[in-house]
Each structure stands twice: as structure tokens, then as C-alpha cells.
Amino acid sequence: MFGYIRAPSGPYGLDAAETPEINGTRQRVRLCAARGGLPPVLIVQAGPGFPLLHEADKFQQCLRLEQGFTVAYWDQRGCGNAPVQEARSVSLETQVDDLCAVIRWLAERTWQQVLVLGISLGATIALQAAAREARQIKALVAVSIDTDTSASDSAASAFLEKARTQGGRRTARLIEKLGAPPYTAPAPLQLRARLLTELGGIEHGKRFGELLRGLLVGLIDTYGWLGAVAALRNMNAIQRSMLPELASLNLFENWPRPAVPVHYLFGGDDPLTPESLVQRLSSVIAPGDTVVTLPNAGHMVHFDQPAIVRSVIAQAAGG
């Protein structure tokens, strides 16, 4: 049973918190729309272990999708203040299975095909789910999809090495402390995220302290003080469970080919996705899929270039 969750209070005709049963667990979805009947967009959060409900306000301010869509903000299994045993049960397989079930639930709930917006690892999960649930999906917009962990780690390490030689002593010390990949435990992964954020590779113009404060305030506002502690605990638990598996992730070994349009978006300043990976992806995608690299954007392309991402979503929904 979940603890405190903030009651929806947005300025929308539809703003409802629901808890569908997904593969033996109760998971949480917040549905927001200017009015009923709008086509559904399901957001699959980055990860591993990141909740989404606490970021709904940020998505609404940046992307403003609710005017044209019913937006489903989904806390994945074990995220937020879910029971810790659920967090410990998370794997790549359970995430794909859960997403397939959520897509079916939302399609039945709205009587419409679902447009899926997947972010980072969420895009990786969404691509695999779309290959199984194409009948229920309108299109997939994949932001900064994780495709090959080893290649991504190498690119990020090269980025940090350049920063180590050109930056200050404090940055150099932290990079030395980080060490070399793979990162199969939460502490080094989180340290790398901190460094990449400080160096502008995650969100343009946002320092780590600013994003950390926003995270903590959002968690407390959404789940309460104890729930925020549980959300951070669950994030670590999910990362401990998934990171060893994700260290060997390589979608290119068996690229999923869903029978739906897929639109891939990357940030030109994303240290985790080098141009070589984008070019490699361009050689394996299906005819009709698109690949676009956006300037002045890091890993969180949807926050750095929200107008373009919103336009891609609108065009995908109309196609």
C-alpha cells in the first residue's frame, strides 16, 4: 500500500491519479488533459530508478502537451514511495513487461492508440515494448535512447578526461575518484551524473545543485518527507538490481523493429551519445523512422529543446 501522494491539483479539465494493477503490483499513473477525449501520450521516464510523478509540473511547464493530449505520467515499478520489495524485483525484463501492460491499460482506458515518449533508458524499454505491442501504439518518440552501454561509457569517459585536463582541481579530483567504467553500483553512476550535469551535458544552463534541489523539493511535495526518503532508497535499490545487467546492454546485437513509426531525438552536446552512435543507429532503423540531432541540447533534449520535441510529438500523432 502506498503512503502519501499529493492529490492532483493542476488547471486541467482532466487531472486524475490512478493505480492500475500491473503484473501483480499496484502502479501509479497521473492523467492530465485540458479536456476529455484527447489522444493519449505515455511518458516513460529515464532511469534506472527515477520516479516521474514529481516531475509532472516541469513537463507541463516545458512541453505543454496537455492542450492537445491526455498525458500519462507513470511511476514505474518500485519507483517513488513504492514498497522496497518491488524496487528489489526490478529488471530490464520486468520493465518491458510492465510497460507493455501499461500501454494496453491506457489504450483500453482511452479507447485510442497510445503515443509513447521514452527518455534515455525509458526509450530503450519503450522500443522493446513497441515491438510487442505495436497494435496499441500510434508512434514512439525516443529521446536520447540508450543503445550500447560500453560505447556510451567510453564517450562519457573521453568527455570527462578532457574536462579533467582543462577544468579546475575539484573537478579533476572527482573525476579521479570516479575511476573507469563499467559502473555497476549506484555511487559511481551517481557521481558521474553529478559531473556530467556540472559540465552541462545533462541540461543546458543547469548546475547539479539546482537540479538536486529541484529533485528533493519535488519528491517531498509529491510523496511527503518519509515518501521522499523511500523514493531515494528505492532509486538505489533499483540501481543495485539493474546496473550489472545494463553494463552489457547492446541493442545493436538484436535491434528491435516495431511495426510503428519511431522518431529518435538526440542532443548535439550529449556526452553519453557520441555522433558515432547516432550514425550507427541510422544504419539499422526501419524505413520511415527518423533520426534528428538537436543543437544546444544535452541528454535531456525534451527540457533543452521543448518546442521542437513538442512539434515532433504532434507530427507523430497526426501521422
Side-chain angles (χ1 to χ4, degrees), residues 120-144:
S120 192
L121 183 60
T124 306
I125 297 163
L127 184 65
Q128 295 175 77
R132 290 165 46 181
E133 297 294 334
R135 190 166 59 89
Q136 308 288 358
I137 296 174
K138 178 73 172 179
L140 168 61
V141 176
V143 172
S144 303

Side-chain angles (χ1 to χ4, degrees), residues 223-246:
Y223 305 109
W225 284 94
L226 293 178
V229 173
L232 295 173
R233 174 205 65 198
N234 288 347
M235 185 185 304
N236 286 325
I238 291 172
Q239 290 178 2
R240 280 192 293 270
S241 176
M242 291 193 69
L243 288 177
E245 177 185 16
L246 293 177

